[in-house]
Amino acid sequence: MINQETKISSWIKIKKVIDELGDYFFPSFSGNISVREGGLVFCTPTSIRKKLLDVEKISVVDLDNNLIDGNKQTSEINLHLEIYRNFDGVNCVVHTHPLFCCIFSCTKKKIELSLLPEYYLKIKKIVYVKYMTPGTKELGLEVVKKVKKELGNVKEAVVLMRNHGLVVFSDNVDRCVDLSFSCEEIAKINYLLKNFSKPQRIPPHLLHIIENLYKK
């Protein structure tokens, strides 16, 4: 039996992501959101537009992907579950398909973060993961492997999956929304700067200064 208060609380968090990111990040039926509450994961179901969801349609699964309540879970649930299984303190995973991040995902290029201090400080590093079939456990394992290799045992990360899209995870919903917006904005700036032969980056020694200021 699912605790109704927990279900409603989880739905409020999911709806916050849907409302704040909107159709731009979740075109058509794409993208998925999950929040973890103890040993249960509350996630968006498969094949339903995000704006048509309500608390009764939200899928509830355990960490072994057994459907406990609600509609059939998203096909990308394996990605979410592998992140939850491998990173302590992660309570939210958001997978989206914003335009400029998707453009970069379809190339071998990387998004330059050191163009503006705000984005460099917020994201610091984007982890890039090679294309693997969406919805598979193998994709989830590859994301976990790359994040651990490049960032360690963290509680938040920004990942660009090649030929697929963006996934961010954190210990809270607000941070996931902020990271998603920030990654798309800096991707857009990168893309528009392609018309300039040599974009100006912040020198490395000055990046260290703003890092120290931020820590204070």
Side-chain angles (χ1 to χ4, degrees):
M1 185 73 177
I2 303 297
N3 181 289
Q4 196 62 19
E5 286 186 10
T6 303
K7 187 175 181 180
I8 291 170
S9 171
S10 299
W11 161 241
I12 289 170
K13 292 174 185 175
I14 289 171
K15 190 172 187 305
K16 179 182 178 69
V17 177
I18 294 170
D19 290 345
E20 293 198 14
L21 292 182
D23 290 341
Y24 180 84
F25 280 79
F26 300 106
S28 188
F29 298 98
S30 71
N32 28 83
I33 308 154
S34 71
V35 296
R36 174 166 61 176
E37 293 286 349
L40 295 177
V41 174
F42 297 76
C43 63
T44 49
T46 188
S47 304
I48 300 179
R49 286 182 182 274
K50 303 295 177 288
K51 289 193 174 179
L52 298 179
L53 291 175
D54 57 41
V55 66
E56 296 307 320
K57 294 186 178 74
I58 289 300
S59 309
V60 186
V61 301
D62 62 21
L63 291 172
D64 293 319
N65 198 18
N66 297 305
L67 183 63
I68 309 296
D69 190 46
N71 287 28
K72 180 177 172 56
Q73 61 266 51
T74 172
S75 59
E76 296 276 16
I77 191 62
N78 284 308
L79 171 62
H80 296 245
L81 293 178
E82 287 303 329
I83 290 170
Y84 289 129
R85 289 188 196 113
N86 286 277
F87 296 101
D88 294 333
V90 173
N91 297 314
C92 180
V93 179
V94 178
H95 168 42
T96 58
H97 296 102
L99 175 62
F100 291 94
C101 283
C102 285
I103 289 172
F104 273 92
S105 83
C106 295
T107 73
K108 292 183 178 180
K109 294 183 180 296
K110 293 186 176 182
I111 299 166
E112 176 60 62
L113 296 172
S114 63
L115 297 173
L116 293 168
E118 292 84 353
Y119 300 108
Y120 176 78
L121 287 171
K122 275 185 185 177
I123 301 173
K124 212 64 180 297
K125 186 176 181 65
I126 298 173
V127 176
Y128 295 86
V129 173
K130 66 183 179 181
Y131 175 80
M132 299 190 80
T133 306
T136 60
K137 186 174 182 178
E138 288 72 25
L139 172 60
L141 289 170
E142 185 67 18
V143 167
V144 167
K145 183 177 82 172
K146 285 297 295 290
V147 171
K148 284 193 171 183
K149 180 180 178 182
E150 297 187 21
L151 300 177
N153 193 18
V154 293
K155 68 177 181 180
E156 75 174 35
V158 176
V159 179
L160 195 64
M161 301 179 290
R162 295 297 190 189
N163 300 94
H164 189 170
L166 177 69
V167 62
V168 305
F169 62 82
S170 184
D171 61 348
N172 71 88
V173 164
D174 289 329
R175 185 67 174 156
C176 280
V177 169
D178 191 29
L179 289 171
S180 298
F181 270 127
S182 296
C183 193
E184 174 63 1
E185 281 300 301
I186 194 62
K188 186 189 300 184
I189 290 166
N190 271 255
Y191 180 83
L192 295 175
L193 278 173
K194 70 184 178 65
N195 294 318
F196 295 85
S197 59
K198 216 171 187 181
Q200 179 173 302
R201 297 172 176 82
I202 299 171
H205 71 283
L206 294 180
L207 289 175
H208 291 310
I209 292 174
I210 63 171
E211 284 174 17
N212 292 330
L213 287 172
Y214 180 74
K215 286 174 185 175
K216 294 177 183 178

